[in-house]
Amino acid sequence: MTLYQEYSVAAQTAFAGLDDAARQADLKRSVADLPGGFAKKVVSGRAYWYYQVKTPDGELRQSYVGPDDDATRALIQRHADPAAKLARQQLVRLGRAAVELGCADIPPKHARVIERLADAGLFSAGGILVGTHAFLAYQNILGVRWSAGAATLDLDFAHAGRNVSLALPENLKLDTRETIESLQMGFVPNQKRTSFKKTDEPDFDLDFLTSRGRGGDEPVTVPRLNLTMQPLRFMELSLQDPVRSTLLARSGPIVVNIPRPQRYALHKLLVYGERPQGQRTKARKDLAQAAALMDYLLLHDAIDIAQLWVDVNARGPGWRRRLGEGFEMMLTLYPDCDFKGRLDQALARVP
């Protein structure tokens, strides 16, 4: 029994090429790559350039670009450069071709939210896409299609909540709440402002998460992101050492941060027992995703998953107990996968 099917060589090659091109473009990304236009203003006798975008509700929003000098004019020229526009169009075509060959894409309404947050700088400031959308992204990274656990309606984002200054210049702040409001999609914040719910789609939520610290379950606010996050136990495992990858959407590729797959898999085992009784369906999905990833990783990256297994067990009795509970239930649900035997073999090879 296997919980995934491998992509064709053509699909794997298509995604690899797109991912490289999208990430290279993202490294060079600036305000000139965003939809909108430039406007020059004269203030106290000096000329300055602003970048302006019209929101869906018709409001014109401007952000400062720089003085009217050579560097700013070069940025403006880049925005008007036909070659740059052709390069962006080529990325869209490459993404659609990869989807046609069998790679996984994300729903347009989800892509719209993720892309807007990416444009606002959430991922550049250390934000991480977690939850099922990360699980979907692993399909393209690993070149496989999961047989279960891929259905999703909500979007989960996480941030470590600390050291934001390492990612953001001192004079820059991100307004995550305003960015969500600018979508004009009907998202309403909950009382704690850690989640945004869509009134006409009760299952389409935007959840913002972080690791649990000394403050317990008290929401964590990061003023420089204008964001409040809900702490969760064991979340730090997914937040450590994330990777960059590309999501496929009809509107074009979106480069995001996601957890490393082995960390995601073991985190799902850990949180299985944390789900309340009313979330048994989500708990089963946690195990389905962990099982699919471990089925792949124990064949292709067995040492990495075994080393992380040792690390997690060394973090204390609470970690060991939860990991063991999730693993035992996974064995019960997927008896034909021989997870225990394969993991034991990998653990025996850990230095």
Side-chain angles (χ1 to χ4, degrees):
M1 178 182 180
T2 182
L3 302 179
Y4 61 88
Q5 292 182 333
E6 291 194 0
Y7 282 175
S8 67
V9 173
Q12 294 183 34
T13 303
F15 177 75
L18 169 69
D19 184 49
D20 182 67
R23 290 168 68 181
Q24 287 293 329
D26 191 66
L27 287 174
K28 302 174 183 177
R29 200 164 184 265
S30 70
V31 68
D33 296 293
L34 304 179
F38 293 88
K40 185 164 67 173
K41 291 183 178 182
V42 177
V43 181
S44 300
R46 295 192 61 186
Y48 299 90
W49 285 95
Y50 292 79
Y51 194 78
Q52 57 187 25
V53 178
K54 183 171 289 188
T55 64
D57 60 354
E59 181 182 352
L60 192 64
R61 298 188 180 180
Q62 294 183 328
S63 57
Y64 176 70
V65 175
D68 185 23
D69 57 16
D70 291 342
T72 303
R73 286 192 291 271
L75 183 69
I76 295 171
Q77 181 61 37
R78 177 184 168 189
H79 188 270
D81 185 0
K85 292 183 178 180
L86 286 174
R88 289 193 291 272
Q89 293 171 359
Q90 177 64 7
L91 281 178
V92 173
R93 286 195 291 269
L94 286 173
R96 292 182 179 179
V99 172
E100 290 297 323
L101 287 168
C103 295
D105 61 346
I106 60 176
K109 62 183 179 181
H110 293 187
R112 183 182 174 194
V113 175
I114 297 170
E115 187 172 30
R116 183 65 62 87
L117 289 171
D119 287 346
L122 179 64
F123 300 112
S124 298
I128 302 174
L129 182 67
V130 296
T132 299
H133 281 81
F135 180 68
L136 291 171
Y138 298 138
Q139 295 179 117
N140 296 331
I141 296 171
L142 303 177
V144 300
R145 183 170 294 277
W146 308 127
S147 59
T152 185
L153 291 172
D154 55 5
L155 282 166
D156 297 327
F157 303 90
H159 195 284
R162 299 180 292 275
N163 297 326
V164 178
S165 59
L166 298 178
L168 294 178
E170 283 300 320
N171 62 346
L172 179 63
K173 293 184 179 181
L174 303 182
D175 196 332
T176 308
R177 293 181 193 171
E178 183 178 286
T179 299
I180 294 171
E181 291 173 1
S182 74
L183 289 164
Q184 295 290 300
M185 292 175 67
F187 288 109
V188 178
N190 65 357
Q191 187 173 5
K192 295 181 179 180
R193 296 187 175 273
T194 59
S195 179
F196 293 77
K197 298 186 178 294
K198 203 167 184 299
T199 54
D200 58 340
E201 296 182 70
D203 294 322
F204 185 12
D205 298 345
L206 309 183
D207 296 322
F208 292 89
L209 313 168
T210 191
S211 54
R212 186 177 176 183
R214 294 181 178 179
D217 294 330
E218 190 66 24
V220 175
T221 299
V222 182
R224 295 193 65 195
L225 300 178
N226 192 19
L227 182 61
T228 302
M229 299 171 290
Q230 181 61 48
L232 293 180
R233 291 188 67 187
F234 312 121
M235 179 55 71
E236 60 265 39
L237 185 68
S238 285
L239 298 183
Q240 293 171 10
D241 194 24
V243 296
R244 299 280 276 171
S245 190
T246 305
L247 303 180
L248 300 186
R250 299 293 297 177
S251 58
I254 311 168
V255 178
V256 299
N257 304 320
I258 59 175
R260 291 190 177 274
Q262 61 268 32
R263 292 184 175 276
Y264 185 96
L266 296 197
H267 178 254
K268 287 300 178 183
L269 293 180
L270 286 163
V271 302
Y272 165 75
E274 294 292 299
R275 298 281 193 191
Q277 193 63 36
Q279 295 185 9
R280 289 294 93 184
T281 300
K282 287 189 174 182
R284 288 297 181 97
K285 187 175 74 171
D286 290 336
L287 293 182
Q289 294 181 0
L293 276 166
M294 291 195 71
D295 193 27
Y296 178 91
L297 294 171
L298 285 171
L299 178 62
H300 297 88
D301 296 292
I303 293 298
D304 286 346
I305 194 76
Q307 288 176 331
L308 185 61
W309 182 275
V310 172
D311 172 50
V312 170
N313 275 278
R315 297 189 182 204
W319 290 75
R320 285 194 297 274
R321 180 171 62 84
R322 286 303 194 201
L323 184 62
E325 289 176 353
F327 188 67
E328 288 300 322
M329 181 56 69
M330 186 178 69
L331 295 180
T332 301
L333 294 177
Y334 301 93
D336 297 332
C337 291
D338 190 27
F339 288 123
K340 189 176 187 308
R342 295 159 67 189
L343 180 60
D344 287 343
Q345 290 179 5
L347 289 170
R349 295 162 52 200
V350 173

